[in-house]
Amino acid sequence: PNPPYWAGRFSDGPNWTDWFSAATGIAVQNHAVGGAAATRHDEVPLEQVIARIEQEAQFFLTGSIDVQVRDHLVRDRTDGVLEKPRETAYLLWAGANDYISKEPFSGAIGTMLNSPAGEAGYRRVVEEAVESLAGQVEVLHEAGARRFVVLNLPRLGRTPI
């Protein structure tokens, strides 16, 4: 939605992690960043993100899930060891922005659909996103994590954009 945003999020109220935590009583650490992609993407400095939002920009990526995983590993280690890794479920949900960033207004969406195996084709987008998510599970596993939930994408054809 358009601003104002709730609690510094791209939302006008609580999001699903807030509702999940409230309904279950389970503490949730949400390291997600709005506009992040599954595939590696250069981080965008906060000033640029704010400027783009103020210009009502859409379809830009702010970083990637590897930044979120690194942030989690930095914040949730004591003496280099993850806190309670066997009692923690590590949830990864990314990939929609990899598709959405194909800027449908520029005609790139046609390239994505008409040349599926090409550099901007949907098969390549799927392969890169899945490979990236699998890589992040491996990073967390190497750090000691053992319980993972990897969510599927919503039906992108039914999203407001």
Side-chain angles (χ1 to χ4, degrees), residues 62-145:
T62 60
S64 57
I65 197 167
D66 67 308
V67 173
Q68 298 166 32
V69 169
R70 275 195 328 259
D71 178 57
H72 175 73
L73 293 176
V74 167
R75 290 184 190 202
D76 300 320
R77 284 188 187 180
T78 302
D79 298 323
V81 178
L82 279 176
E83 302 266 341
K84 300 182 181 182
R86 296 196 184 274
E87 292 93 20
T88 303
Y90 297 85
L91 187 141
L92 296 119
W93 189 22
N97 287 331
D98 296 82
Y99 287 94
I100 292 170
S101 68
K102 295 298 178 188
E103 176 84 56
F105 302 113
S106 70
I109 194 77
T111 302
M112 186 169 85
L113 298 174
N114 297 331
S115 301
E119 187 173 332
Y122 71 86
R123 286 189 186 143
R124 182 102 175 244
V125 173
V126 169
E127 289 167 3
E128 289 175 356
V130 169
E131 184 178 297
S132 178
L133 288 169
Q136 295 311 314
V137 169
E138 289 175 11
V139 166
L140 289 165
H141 188 270
E142 288 173 12

Side-chain angles (χ1 to χ4, degrees), residues 138-159:
E138 289 175 11
V139 166
L140 289 165
H141 188 270
E142 288 173 12
R146 293 296 181 263
R147 298 171 67 190
F148 301 94
V149 178
V150 181
L151 296 176
N152 201 354
L153 296 180
R155 292 181 65 182
L156 295 179
R158 292 192 172 190
T159 59

